Amino acid sequence: MRFDTKIGIVVREDLAVWQKLNVTAFLASAVAGGDPEVIGERYEDGSGTSYLPMFRQPVLVYAADPAGLAQVRARAVERGLAVAVYIEEMFKTGDDVDNRAAVRAVTAEEMPLVGLAVYGPRNAVDKTLKGLPLHP
């Protein structure tokens, strides 16, 4: 099935594995929380046990260096896409309030990005992520 929209997550390639997974999970939650249309129906097994719903479409994860992340952020904002960011300082914070304060403390150009998510029309997301490799 081909979707009209696309979810892309870009993670800095030199992070530790646990950091990559953590960043990816947080950024995916931002997309889910930002637009209820991206979430499908609840799952249920043959025994009647109910499970949480998930994205209704695939999520593609890409790798980039710091310059690539900054370029993707700028392109995404320029195209009006929904964007979520994760910066280095957020590894040191312990809650959502401190995370937002960390992001607020830096300008867009100074942001030490370790990951970001973009969501929007498929063509615009494809153009924004053009040239990035899928995460290995």
Side-chain angles (χ1 to χ4, degrees), residues 91-108:
F91 288 129
K92 301 173 192 166
T93 61
D95 60 64
D96 193 45
V97 171
D98 291 340
N99 286 346
R100 285 194 307 274
V103 172
R104 191 178 313 111
V106 294
T107 66

Side-chain angles (χ1 to χ4, degrees), residues 1-134:
M1 175 177 229
R2 185 167 165 93
F3 294 92
D4 293 337
T5 58
K6 187 170 188 176
I7 301 168
I9 295 177
V10 186
V11 181
R12 201 174 77 195
E13 59 197 3
D14 65 343
L15 297 176
V17 172
W18 74 266
Q19 291 174 315
K20 290 177 183 179
L21 294 171
N22 184 265
V23 168
T24 301
F26 270 99
L27 292 170
S29 75
V31 175
D35 189 340
E37 295 291 318
V38 300
I39 301 296
E41 300 294 321
R42 292 184 72 85
Y43 286 73
E44 185 175 303
D45 65 25
S47 301
T49 304
S50 181
Y51 302 96
L52 294 171
M54 292 187 265
F55 288 124
R56 63 179 181 81
Q57 67 188 86
V59 178
L60 297 174
V61 181
Y62 300 84
D65 60 15
L69 282 162
Q71 184 178 47
V72 168
R73 190 209 61 79
R75 286 180 188 168
V77 169
E78 181 181 296
R79 288 184 169 91
L81 297 172
V83 181
V85 296
Y86 198 107
I87 63 171
E88 286 179 4
E89 186 63 27
M90 292 166 73
F91 288 129
K92 301 173 192 166
T93 61
D95 60 64
D96 193 45
V97 171
D98 291 340
N99 286 346
R100 285 194 307 274
V103 172
R104 191 178 313 111
V106 294
T107 66
E109 294 76 23
E110 298 171 324
M111 213 177 276
L113 291 167
V114 295
L116 59 84
V118 295
Y119 172 71
R122 179 178 200 79
N123 289 343
V125 172
D126 283 343
K127 288 177 184 174
T128 299
L129 301 175
K130 186 176 182 177
L132 292 181
L134 286 172

